[in-house]
Amino acid sequence: MNISRPVRTATSGVSTLTRCLHCGAENKDAASNFCCTGCEAAYALISGLGLDTFYARREGQTEGTLRPQMEDLPQGFSTRAESLSDGRYSIDLMVMGLTCGACVWLIEQTLATDPVIRKARVSLSTRRLTVEWTGTPEHADVIAANVARLGFRVAPWTPACLAAGDDAERRSLIWALGIAAFGSMNVMLVSVAVWAGTDMGDATRSLMHWLSALFGMPVILISGMPFYRSAWRALRAGRANMDTAISLAVLLTGAMSLSETLRNGTYTWFDGATLLLFLLLVGRVLDRGARSRARRAAADLLALQQGSVTRLDADNVARLITVDAVRRGDVLLVATGERLAVDASTNADAILDMAVITGESLPQNFAAHAVLPAGALNIGAPIRVTALSTNADSSLSTMVRMMDRASEARGRFVTLADQMAGYYVPVVHALALLTFLGWWLGFGADWQTALVIGVSVLIITCPCGFAIAVPSVQVVTVGSLFRKGILVTSGTALERLAQADYVMFDKTGTLTAGHPTLLPDPVRTPEDEHLAASIALASRHPLARALVRAVPDIASVSGDVQEVPGGGLMMGNVRLGSPQFCGLADTDMGMALVLAQPEREPVVFRFSDRLRADAAQTVRDLRALGIEAELMSGDAAGAVADAACAVGIERHTARATPADKAARLETLRAEGRKVLMVGDGVNDGPALAAAHVSASPAGATDLAQAASDFVLQSGNLHILVDAVHAARQAQTIAKQNIGFSLLYNVVAVPLAIFGLVIPPIAALVMTSSGLVVICNSLRAGSNR
């Protein structure tokens, strides 16, 4: 190995210390240029790739932060690889140990030498590495290992990392706000004396202007950076955003004021520029805070999956592994007081605390073979569970992805506000320019006066109100509903729920508790019960789960089991499902499953279920909101009629197939109805997807939850009424915000054009309008 860099030494007494050529840590062995073999290997790798200019590029001494870990290279990242088009894969990694731009350069250049890598980008601020490559997903381990060999620690990127980035951004905004607050207060004290001083001499006024510049220019240059960076990024992309108008107004005001200070003019406007920045930063901090609160709950849930778990190997030896290394089918040991890292099932009963997931304070009992959700806390005896998911596709990860999709999607009002703000920016600039030219060339005013009026127009017409009118309401409402146990999975769901005037309920698992119990029947044999329960293991239908709970010590069948939505389960020639699916006549069996085997008499399994305690009150409250209710269920006529009568629903349909529900929804749509569909089963999936808006209760199947716009996590059906109230309130507040923004501009813009508003007043008026919009939006999160 060729080592060309000199060895740096430091003498202390009789011992000579050297610095490691790679990481910079102290090395007592003067005969070696490296503190460990890991650093020696990293230096050899960098030099071998021709990237040894890294050591000249990096800023200062890293003092050991790049020392490679003396342990196995990272593995298990292949499961994090996301499949793209054309045989490409992508992965996002968290890189720890980044100290400067040279580290970014080193990682990107090292990965660029890999012929299969198509893109490698590192963000120094968020420490996020994004890589795209061709080949196989297993190459993700090679990528992570190469980064680790350089001395950086690598971990999977998660939304929790993004939340940390959001916190850093919010801290920088607060720092900018503090500087703006201090500077603007001092500038205002000096400016009041200038504006009110009728007999002030030129020397005194000049001193006041220089004091204003002393406090004001740092505020303009430092506190304005969040807006300048955003405006510059937009301009580089060939467009303009609302920060472009803000930046132009602030910089023009500052430059104009500095010019007046140098020429000892009568007035300066440092107070307007600093006040504008202060008030805008207040609004931006409030907006970031609202968005952070909306994401924090989901990020906290995802954080429950971090750490390690205990896996039992084939030889029954317990080994600690990372959560990301868990695979489906792994047997895990969950101790008392430990949380489940992934979705799992167990052969024994379990007692779990579901508070962080559903908001329920009472623990829940789970029977053997039930699905135990990730994030639940085991408060019973230690249990052995079988993993049903990986960390990436667990119920908690799915929940976070649905919330992200709901926050990022665009609804009708959001799109309208964005379009208005987009058109507004060029119109604002043109209007300010025409005002300047009109006063200067048309009315004969001097250019300084015309520029002051033009800047006032630029400031007062800033489209902040339009830009935040709807997103702020949506973010606050989604966060508020999440805290109540309602997961919003679509960005347009609130708008559509506010329009709902008709609700269609499923029965089992929706109006009922979804926990039916098997009724005894002396005709059935234990063999029939075990066969039926073994087949039922493949389904999450409430009746199938009840059958599994009622039959102890069952094992899964060896054949493939297929589920037919609205019908039942098939394993070869054996069927388990509704009477029609199993070839029986349409008789009123109530809640029942039928086991049909070739050349044998069908076996009937009858069940009983109870209505949810709040079902009737939910129907009454929805009717009070003008929402008419209907019940459609695949159950027998008698059971459906009894349930409809108990909750006060007049129109009800039994033996409804998924096609029947979809056809009924189409009929209601043709009548002009906006239908809210509420269901929980596989057979409800098509109707949930076809409805104007949809919701599924806690315990619904994965298919039902994936097709729903709202997931009622708490298990309380009545919170559906709260969701309707919140959606309608959100739309009312959004309309108020848009209307207020329009009215504000109709009144304020002419005043600025006619020269009746100076920059400080324009800044105060414009930013106050934005604060009014934000404060009005915060009402969306209030309890009714």
Side-chain angles (χ1 to χ4, degrees):
M1 180 177 59
N2 179 24
I3 301 175
S4 58
R5 301 177 71 233
V7 178
R8 292 159 291 171
T9 61
T11 304
S12 176
V14 294
S15 63
T16 301
L17 299 178
T18 64
R19 292 284 184 180
C20 176
L21 291 185
H22 177 66
C23 73
E26 290 184 350
N27 179 21
K28 294 184 179 180
D29 184 5
S32 174
N33 291 304
F34 303 98
C35 63
C36 63
T37 57
C39 285
E40 185 175 3
Y43 187 85
L45 174 64
I46 295 172
S47 299
L49 294 173
L51 303 176
D52 46 0
T53 53
F54 159 72
Y55 298 104
R57 284 172 173 262
R58 63 178 173 181
E59 301 170 4
Q61 185 58 47
T62 57
E63 293 295 339
T65 57
L66 288 181
R67 183 182 301 175
Q69 296 295 315
M70 300 301 294
E71 56 188 35
D72 293 338
L73 293 173
Q75 297 292 326
F77 288 92
S78 58
T79 58
R80 292 275 182 173
E82 180 182 355
S83 178
L84 305 177
S85 59
D86 304 328
R88 292 181 296 118
Y89 291 88
S90 173
I91 192 171
D92 289 333
L93 300 175
M94 180 79 168
V95 182
M96 291 157 281
L98 296 176
T99 58
C100 63
C103 298
V104 173
W105 175 85
L106 176 63
I107 294 175
E108 292 180 349
Q109 294 299 317
T110 300
L111 295 180
T113 61
D114 191 332
V116 302
I117 291 180
R118 295 292 174 263
K119 184 182 78 171
R121 294 290 182 268
V122 183
S123 171
L124 180 60
S125 59
T126 62
R127 296 176 293 171
R128 184 176 188 171
L129 166 62
T130 301
V131 186
E132 291 183 10
W133 72 94
T134 57
T136 63
E138 286 73 20
H139 198 71
D141 292 334
V142 178
I143 294 171
N146 286 338
V147 176
R149 287 190 182 99
L150 299 175
F152 301 98
R153 296 185 301 280
V154 183
W157 176 270
T158 67
C161 304
L162 182 60
D166 290 342
D167 290 341
E169 181 185 6
R170 191 163 183 240
R171 284 194 299 269
S172 67
L173 285 175
I174 291 176
W175 271 105
L177 175 61
I179 295 172
F182 174 79
S184 62
M185 285 189 298
N186 284 278
V187 171
M188 198 61 64
L189 287 174
V190 176
S191 298
V192 167
V194 175
W195 290 102
T198 57
D199 56 349
M200 183 176 292
D202 291 344
T204 304
R205 184 175 60 246
S206 177
L207 176 62
M208 293 297 182
H209 287 342
W210 280 107
L211 287 175
S212 295
L214 177 64
F215 290 112
M217 288 307 297
V219 173
I220 293 172
L221 297 177
I222 298 175
S223 296
M225 288 306 298
F227 306 100
Y228 307 153
R229 283 193 292 263
S230 174
W232 177 245
R233 286 194 297 266
L235 291 174
R236 289 183 62 184
R239 59 183 178 85
N241 60 8
M242 67 177 182
D243 288 339
T244 307
I246 294 172
S247 301
L248 186 59
V250 171
L251 292 175
L252 277 177
T253 304
M256 185 171 55
S257 299
L258 187 58
S259 173
E260 290 297 295
T261 300
L262 292 172
R263 59 188 293 269
N264 197 21
T266 306
Y267 298 110
T268 61
W269 298 273
F270 291 112
D271 48 358
T274 55
L275 180 62
L276 174 63
L277 286 175
F278 169 70
L279 294 176
L280 284 174
L281 286 168
V282 169
R284 191 149 295 190
V285 168
L286 289 176
D287 178 64
R288 290 294 187 276
R291 294 179 184 274
S292 177
R293 286 195 300 272
R295 289 192 295 261
R296 192 175 302 278
D300 289 345
L301 285 179
L302 198 64
L304 298 177
Q305 294 177 279
Q306 305 305 311
S308 59
V309 296
T310 303
R311 183 178 65 189
L312 298 178
D313 292 343
D315 53 2
N316 211 32
V317 176
R319 303 181 188 276
L320 280 179
I321 62 172
T322 63
V323 176
D324 293 322
V326 175
R327 300 293 179 267
R328 291 184 180 88
D330 285 351
V331 178
L332 309 176
L333 180 62
V334 182
T336 303
E338 184 179 356
R339 293 190 184 275
L340 275 76
V342 297
D343 300 329
S345 65
T346 177
N347 291 327
D349 294 343
I351 304 177
L352 303 179
D353 184 348
M354 305 280 288
V356 298
I357 304 173
T358 65
E360 291 288 338
S361 58
L362 296 178
Q364 297 184 25
N365 295 317
F366 287 80
H369 308 295
V371 176
L372 311 180
L377 179 68
N378 179 25
I379 60 175
I383 54 176
R384 292 189 179 190
V385 301
T386 302
L388 300 178
S389 71
T390 63
N391 188 18
D393 60 7
S394 69
S395 56
L396 284 184
S397 298
T398 302
M399 185 186 306
V400 173
R401 286 194 294 268
M402 288 190 294
M403 286 201 69
D404 288 342
R405 188 168 67 247
S407 299
E408 294 172 0
R410 298 297 193 190
R412 179 169 57 91
F413 283 105
V414 177
T415 302
L416 174 62
D418 286 349
Q419 290 175 345
M420 295 176 72
Y423 287 121
Y424 218 67
V425 171
V427 171
V428 164
H429 293 166
L431 191 60
L433 178 61
L434 290 175
T435 301
F436 166 71
L437 295 175
W439 277 91
W440 182 31
L441 302 178
F443 295 99
D446 59 86
W447 71 269
Q448 291 94 342
T449 302
L451 186 59
V452 169
I453 298 174
V455 170
S456 297
V457 173
L458 192 64
I459 292 175
I460 208 167
T461 55
C462 185
C464 297
F466 282 127
I468 64 175
V470 182
S472 57
V473 179
Q474 182 171 332
V475 167
V476 171
T477 304
V478 169
S480 174
L481 290 177
F482 187 86
R483 289 189 292 273
K484 292 180 180 179
I486 305 172
L487 180 63
V488 184
T489 67
S490 169
T492 62
L494 293 174
E495 295 175 17
R496 289 182 279 117
L497 182 60
Q499 300 167 354
D501 57 9
Y502 200 93
V503 59
M504 181 185 294
F505 286 104
D506 178 48
K507 184 181 78 69
T508 304
T510 303
L511 290 179
T512 64
H515 298 291
T517 56
L518 179 64
L519 298 176
D521 189 343
V523 178
R524 294 193 304 263
T525 65
E527 291 76 12
D528 292 333
E529 292 181 346
H530 277 78
L531 175 60
S534 298
I535 298 174
L537 278 173
S539 175
R540 291 192 63 189
H541 189 279
L543 295 186
R545 306 314 302 165
L547 180 57
V548 171
R549 289 194 299 269
V551 181
D553 302 327
I554 57 174
S556 60
V557 292
S558 57
D560 293 332
V561 179
Q562 298 179 347
E563 185 162 5
V564 179
L569 301 168
M570 295 177 57
M571 186 189 69
N573 294 327
V574 180
R575 293 191 173 199
L576 177 69
S578 65
Q580 296 85 355
F581 181 68
C582 294
L584 296 186
D586 188 10
T587 57
D588 187 2
M589 292 184 179
M591 295 178 59
L593 290 177
V594 177
L595 176 65
Q597 305 177 66
E599 300 180 357
R600 292 192 58 183
E601 288 294 323
V603 180
V604 179
F605 297 83
R606 290 183 173 85
F607 302 83
S608 64
D609 198 0
R610 59 180 177 82
L611 289 169
R612 292 180 183 267
D614 56 355
Q617 186 64 44
T618 299
V619 173
R620 286 194 297 269
D621 290 346
L622 289 175
R623 186 178 292 115
L625 293 173
I627 301 178
E628 184 181 345
E630 178 178 346
L631 174 60
M632 289 193 75
S633 174
D635 292 340
V640 174
D642 291 342
C645 179
V647 299
I649 296 178
E650 297 180 0
R651 186 181 181 97
H652 53 85
T653 304
R655 301 295 188 193
T657 64
D660 294 333
K661 294 180 180 181
R664 177 59 179 161
L665 287 172
E666 189 61 35
T667 300
L668 291 170
R669 184 183 295 109
E671 296 174 358
R673 293 284 196 171
K674 307 293 186 182
V675 183
L676 164 63
M677 175 67 196
V678 187
D680 77 314
V682 173
N683 61 324
D684 296 316
L688 290 167
H692 184 70
V693 63
S694 56
S696 58
T701 62
D702 293 338
L703 177 62
Q705 293 191 7
S708 298
D709 299 301
F710 296 88
V711 179
L712 313 181
Q713 292 287 107
S714 71
N716 180 2
L717 186 64
H718 194 266
I719 60 176
L720 184 63
V721 179
D722 295 334
V724 174
H725 274 289
R728 293 183 176 181
Q729 183 189 37
Q731 298 313 297
T732 299
I733 294 175
K735 292 176 182 178
Q736 290 173 352
N737 287 346
I738 293 176
F740 173 78
S741 298
L742 287 171
L743 179 62
Y744 157 76
N745 283 281
V746 168
V747 174
V749 171
L751 295 177
I753 292 176
F754 289 121
L756 301 177
V757 180
I758 59 175
I761 303 302
L764 179 62
V765 172
M766 185 278 295
T767 316
S768 298
S769 69
L771 292 177
V772 168
V773 168
I774 291 175
C775 292
N776 192 43
S777 299
L778 291 175
R779 294 194 302 115
S782 60
N783 295 323
R784 60 183 182 90

